[in-house]
Amino acid sequence: VSARRNFEWPELLTADGRGIAFGGDYNPDQWSEDIWDDDIRLMKQAGVNTVALAIFSWDRIQPTEDRWDFGWLDRIIDKLGKAGIAVDLASATATAPLWLYEKHPEVLPQDKFGHPVNAGSRQSWSPTSPVFKEYALTLCRKLAERYGTNPYVTAWHMGNEYGWNNRYDYSDNALNAFRLWCERKYGTIENLNKAWGTTFWGQEMNGFHEVLIPRFMGADSMVNPGQKLDFERFGNDMLLDFYKAERDAIAEICPDKPFTTNFMVSTDQCCMDYADWAEEVDFVSNDHYFHEGESHIDELFCSDALMDSLALGKPWYVMEHSTSAVQWKPLNARKRKGETVRDSIAHVAMGADAINFFQWRASAFGAESFHSALVPHAGEDTKLFRQVCELGAALKTLGDAGVQGTELEQSDTAILFSAESEWATRSETLPSMKLNHWHDVRDWYRAFLNAGTRADIVPLKYDWSAYKTVVLPTVIMLSAEDTQRLADFAAAGGRVVIGYATGLIDENFHTWLGGYPGAGDGLLREILGIRGEEFNILGAEAEGEPSEIRLSSGAVTRLWQNDVNVDGERAQVLATYEGEEADEWELGGTAAITRNPYGSGETYFVGCDLNVADLTEFVRENIVEDSANVANPTDSDVLHTVRKSADATFDFYLPRGKKEIALQGIEGEPIYLFQAEAEEQTGSYTVHRNGVLVVKRA
C-alpha cells in the first residue's frame, strides 16, 4: 500500500470522547423547526450520539448565487451539541441547487448517447466540470470557515456515495479530462496505441487529441476492451480527485478534524476501486444494505471482511444501513424480528465502531419516503422504534465494556479481490458474459463459513504475504508483477488457490499467450503444473445440449470448464470431468481440479465453476484440515469473530441460519446476550435465530 493518511477517529461528545457511535443521516431541513425538539427528545431516548448533517442541503445553505443562509444550520447544530449529539458535517455537494444548473447547464454529465443527465436526482453533475468544481469548493470553504472551530462538529463527511449517478460521464468535460489522463499515464501516443491494441479494427491514433471515450457506437456494442478498462479507471480517478479537492479545500481552513466519505460496498455493488480511496480518508466508512434471502448474514460478513481490510484492521464506520426495508429494489423485504439489532452487532463483530442508518425520521415525501428509518411513519410507539432503543442500549453496553478501539483478529486465509478484475468481467468481449468476480468472492467466502472457518477479503494490490492461504476467484486480470508475488508466496511456503477464469489477461486487457492461464508469460502455468488449451462454455441458451458436467468428486459445473493438460512432474489430479456429457465435449478424464507442490508451498487449480456446496467440500478437504481459524469445530452454523486490544478480548457468536444454536465450553464473562440465554452449565449458551452472544476475556 502506498502512503496513506493517518488513522483518526471522530470523537463523541462524551466525557472522554469515546463510545460506539450510533445515529444516522439527519435531514431537519425536510421538516418544520417545531419538530426539532421532539427529534432531540427521541434521539436521547434511543441513545443516539451522532448524526450526519446537511448531506443534500446545498440549496438551503445557498438559496441563490448571491445569498447564503446558515441560520437554520447554526440552530440545529447548537441543539444537537447541547444534547450531547456530535455532528458529522457534510460538504453538501451531493446535490446542487437548481439555480446552478439553470445558469450553467454545461455542468451536467452526459450518458453514452450524448443526452444530458438532467438535474433532479443526486449527483447530476460532471466531476470534471471546472465550473461545477469552483462552485462546490466555494461551498466547502464557506462551511469550513463557519464550522471549523465548532466543538459540536467532530468530523467532515465529504460528498455522499461518490459515483452513484455520475460514475460514467461521457460529456466533453470528461472527454478532455480523459485525454489528459491518458497522456499522463502513457506519455506517448505510441504507448497508448500499444496498450489498447489499436491495430485491431483500425483504431490507431496520431495524437492524444484523437483519443475517444466509449460513447454509443450503434448496434455494435463491442468497445475496445483496453479503452473501456482505462475509462473505468479514469472514472474512479476523476471522482477520487474531486473528493480530494473538496477535502483539501476544507483542510486548508480546518485541518484538525477527521475526513471520510461513504463507500458503497456490498456484494451487489462495489463500483469504485476502494483500495485507492481508503488511502485518502482518515477513517473508512461504508453504506451497506442487506441482501434479502438466505445469504443475508453471510453477505453482510463478506462485505464487512473487505471493509476491515480496506481499514487495515483499524475500526471503521457504518455510515448507512437500514432498520428494515428499503424502497429501491424489485423486492423490498422487511427485516425479521431481531434483525435490526443482529445486523448492527454483526457489523461491530466485523470491526465497526459506528452504527448509523439512513435516516433518522422516515420522509413524508420524495423518492425515498418508503425507505425505513430510525423513526418510522407510525412514530415512536412502534416495534421498530423500540428495537432502535434496544440497539442504542446494546451499543452503549459494548462501548462501556471496552469494545471500541479493539481490532478484528485476522484469519489465516485471504480471498483476493480486484476492482479491476470486477470491471473486466463486465466486458462483452469475453468467452462468457456471465462472469462475476465479486459474486465468486462471495461464494468462496460462504464456502469457508460452511467449512467452519472464516476468511478475510483482501484487495489484490494490498500486502497479503502474512497469510497462509490466498484464493483468487475469477481474478481474470493479473499483471506479471502480481503473478511473481504469487510465485514468491508459494515458494516461501504459502498455499495458492487459482480459480477457473483467473490470470487470462494482463493490466492492458491483452490476452496472455502460450496457453491458459498465461499470466506472467506462463509463470502462473508453471506454478500450477498445468496448461489449458481451450474453454468449454455451457448454458441453457444451447437448446438440446448438456447444461452441466459432473466431476469424479461428485461436484457439478454449469458455466465454464478449462480443457487442460497436466504437465507438472509432481502435479496431482484431484478430480476429473466424468460422464457422457464430459465425453461429448472431449473432456472425459481431463483434469478439473489439481494440486502442485511449488517451492516450500503448494498450488491448487480449480478449473471450473462450482456452486457453494461443492466449493465447501473443496475447502474442507484441502484447506480447513490444518486451519487455525476454525470458528467452532463442531458447528459451521456459528459465525464467530474475535476483537482484541492489549487489555481485553471479545468473542462474538451469531447463528447463520434459522435454527437456534447451542454453545458449550465458552470462556469468559458474557457482556451481551440478545435473543440468547446462559444455561445452568458454566460456559454453555443457547442463541436463538437472529440472536447474539458477546463474551469478554481478560
Side-chain angles (χ1 to χ4, degrees):
V1 180
S2 61
R4 62 191 280 159
R5 294 173 68 90
N6 292 330
F7 172 76
E8 186 178 354
W9 191 256
E11 292 189 349
L12 298 176
L13 301 181
T14 55
D16 59 1
R18 293 180 56 79
I20 295 177
F22 172 50
D25 290 9
Y26 182 35
N27 298 291
D29 40 328
Q30 291 182 13
W31 305 89
S32 63
E33 290 197 28
D34 57 13
I35 205 172
W36 290 2
D37 287 337
D38 197 49
D39 282 336
I40 301 294
R41 175 185 68 82
L42 291 175
M43 286 180 188
K44 293 179 71 174
Q45 181 178 329
V48 166
N49 55 30
T50 188
V51 295
L53 200 61
I55 292 173
F56 302 111
S57 300
W58 188 346
D59 65 335
R60 293 296 302 275
I61 295 169
Q62 191 182 10
T64 65
E65 183 172 6
D66 56 359
R67 184 163 68 90
W68 297 85
D69 179 9
F70 292 102
W72 69 274
L73 194 52
D74 292 345
R75 292 191 294 276
I76 192 59
I77 289 176
D78 191 61
K79 283 180 179 289
L80 290 163
K82 287 178 178 176
I85 300 167
V87 171
D88 170 33
L89 186 59
S91 63
T93 56
T95 54
L98 294 179
W99 60 258
L100 195 158
Y101 294 115
E102 184 71 19
K103 183 175 182 180
H104 295 287
E106 70 271 20
V107 307
L108 291 169
Q110 290 183 4
D111 65 18
K112 65 181 180 180
F113 303 101
H115 305 141
V117 177
N118 291 307
S121 185
R122 297 166 287 175
Q123 299 174 332
S124 301
W125 43 265
S126 168
T128 55
S129 166
V131 173
F132 183 79
K133 181 175 286 188
E134 181 181 352
Y135 279 97
L137 298 189
T138 297
L139 172 62
C140 289
R141 295 185 188 103
K142 289 279 191 179
L143 289 166
E145 289 165 358
R146 192 168 191 95
Y147 301 109
T149 59
N150 189 306
Y152 303 147
V153 175
T154 62
W156 290 101
H157 178 112
M158 309 313 301
N160 188 70
E161 296 184 334
Y162 285 96
W164 177 259
N165 197 39
N166 56 0
R167 172 71 173 85
Y168 303 103
D169 177 19
Y170 299 85
S171 67
D172 286 342
N173 287 324
L175 173 61
N176 294 330
F178 184 51
R179 287 171 172 172
L180 292 173
W181 183 92
C182 289
E183 188 169 6
R184 286 193 301 270
K185 178 174 182 178
Y186 291 105
T188 69
I189 198 65
E190 291 77 17
N191 289 338
L192 178 55
N193 279 318
K194 182 179 179 181
W196 287 6
T198 55
T199 54
F200 189 84
W201 280 358
Q203 297 174 348
E204 287 183 281
M205 295 163 282
N206 296 304
F208 288 100
H209 64 282
E210 292 185 352
V211 169
L212 300 176
I213 52 180
R215 289 168 169 154
F216 180 63
M217 302 183 306
D220 194 338
S221 62
M222 289 191 289
V223 175
N224 179 321
Q227 176 196 26
K228 180 66 164 61
L229 180 61
D230 268 345
F231 189 64
E232 292 272 8
R233 291 168 172 147
F234 161 74
N236 177 78
D237 291 353
M238 70 174 177
L239 283 159
L240 181 55
D241 286 345
F242 193 90
Y243 156 79
K244 290 191 290 185
E246 288 195 80
R247 179 200 65 195
D248 293 347
I250 292 177
E252 288 175 4
I253 300 167
C254 174
D256 56 348
K257 294 177 181 178
F259 294 86
T260 196
T261 188
N262 39 342
F263 300 171
M264 295 178 284
V265 173
S266 67
T267 59
D268 285 328
Q269 61 181 27
C270 190
C271 64
M272 300 296 186
D273 191 349
Y274 290 117
D276 292 338
W277 286 70
E279 298 181 7
E280 301 294 344
V281 296
D282 296 320
F283 61 98
V284 170
S285 302
N286 191 43
D287 292 356
H288 180 271
Y289 288 93
F290 74 94
H291 183 74
E292 59 285 333
E294 58 88 23
S295 66
H296 178 144
I297 190 67
D298 288 0
E299 190 282 326
L300 182 154
F301 263 63
C302 180
S303 298
D304 285 2
L306 177 57
M307 290 307 303
D308 184 71
S309 291
L310 293 172
L312 297 186
K314 297 294 185 182
W316 52 277
Y317 211 97
V318 176
M319 189 66 74
E320 289 183 24
H321 69 312
S322 63
T323 55
S324 191
V326 299
Q327 49 38 267
W328 41 264
K329 292 186 175 186
L331 171 63
N332 295 303
R334 66 186 287 199
K335 288 190 176 180
R336 293 180 174 87
K337 177 183 177 183
E339 286 185 340
T340 301
V341 175
R342 189 278 310 271
D343 286 5
S344 299
I345 305 303
H347 288 304
V348 177
M350 289 297 291
D353 274 358
I355 300 298
N356 293 272
F357 295 85
F358 180 85
Q359 58 181 320
W360 164 248
R361 186 182 287 274
S363 297
F365 43 76
E368 294 187 288
S369 60
F370 285 102
H371 190 299
S372 62
L374 289 150
V375 180
H377 291 143
E380 62 183 292
D381 185 18
T382 53
K383 290 184 289 186
L384 185 55
F385 187 69
R386 285 189 283 274
Q387 283 187 63
V388 167
C389 294
E390 187 170 8
L391 173 59
L395 295 174
K396 186 176 189 308
T397 295
L398 296 177
D400 291 345
V403 169
Q404 196 235 313
T406 61
E407 297 183 8
L408 183 66
E409 185 176 70
Q410 192 177 80
S411 175
D412 55 14
T413 295
I415 301 173
L416 302 185
F417 171 72
S418 162
E420 293 188 330
S421 281
E422 172 62 16
W423 299 337
T425 57
R426 301 174 195 166
S427 172
E428 297 181 344
T429 65
L430 297 171
S432 172
M433 285 183 273
K434 296 179 181 178
L435 295 177
N436 191 309
H437 165 56
W438 193 205
H439 283 185
D440 285 347
V441 168
R442 181 181 66 194
D443 287 350
W444 275 94
Y445 187 83
R446 298 192 72 195
F448 276 89
L449 294 180
N450 288 345
T453 187
R454 183 177 61 81
D456 295 339
I457 312 293
V458 181
L460 173 66
K461 63 175 62 174
Y462 281 14
D463 180 10
W464 30 263
S465 59
Y467 286 90
K468 183 175 181 179
T469 301
V470 295
V471 181
L472 287 79
T474 324
V475 182
I476 193 169
M477 179 184 302
L478 273 180
S479 66
E481 179 184 3
D482 284 332
T483 308
Q484 187 63 56
R485 291 171 69 199
L486 291 169
D488 293 343
F489 177 82
R495 179 191 290 120
V496 176
V497 181
I498 298 295
Y500 64 94
T502 293
L504 304 184
I505 58 176
D506 70 8
E507 63 273 25
N508 294 318
F509 220 113
H510 292 197
T511 304
W512 289 105
L513 302 179
Y516 309 117
D521 283 327
L523 179 58
L524 190 58
R525 290 194 304 273
E526 178 186 330
I527 69 173
L528 291 171
I530 57 97
R531 177 177 175 272
E533 297 183 11
E534 199 173 2
F535 313 121
N536 195 66
I537 308 300
L538 300 181
E541 296 86 347
E543 296 182 11
E545 298 287 0
S547 59
E548 62 182 41
I549 294 175
R550 293 202 166 270
L551 276 60
S552 58
S553 62
V556 176
T557 172
R558 297 180 173 86
L559 174 65
W560 180 304
Q561 302 80 41
N562 283 279
D563 188 353
V564 303
N565 300 309
V566 178
D567 51 16
E569 292 183 1
R570 297 189 295 160
Q572 298 173 274
V573 176
L574 304 182
T576 58
Y577 302 112
E578 299 291 343
E580 182 179 337
E581 292 82 3
D583 292 340
E584 189 166 339
W585 291 109
E586 297 182 87
L587 289 173
T590 300
I593 302 175
T594 62
R595 175 188 177 275
N596 190 51
Y598 187 81
S600 299
E602 61 180 359
T603 65
Y604 289 83
F605 182 57
V606 180
C608 55
D609 66 294
L610 299 175
N611 64 22
V612 173
D614 291 336
L615 290 175
T616 300
E617 288 306 308
F618 173 85
V619 171
R620 282 178 178 151
E621 293 175 7
N622 299 287
I623 299 176
V624 168
E625 56 188 358
D626 58 348
S627 172
N629 288 92
V630 175
N632 186 327
T634 62
D635 195 346
S636 63
D637 291 333
V638 179
L639 287 165
H640 173 222
T641 66
V642 178
R643 291 188 60 170
K644 284 185 173 182
S645 68
D647 302 320
T649 297
F650 296 88
D651 292 271
F652 291 76
Y653 298 91
L654 300 89
R656 290 177 65 206
K658 297 182 179 181
K659 298 181 296 184
E660 67 179 32
I661 58 173
L663 301 173
Q664 291 89 32
I666 305 299
E667 298 179 1
E669 171 195 0
I671 60 168
Y672 181 65
L673 290 92
F674 173 70
Q675 295 186 178
E677 57 263 352
E679 305 296 337
E680 293 183 3
Q681 183 180 353
T682 303
S684 298
Y685 301 88
T686 298
V687 186
H688 302 283
R689 177 179 179 174
N690 302 330
V692 178
L693 167 66
V694 185
V695 174
K696 180 178 182 179
R697 291 181 278 148

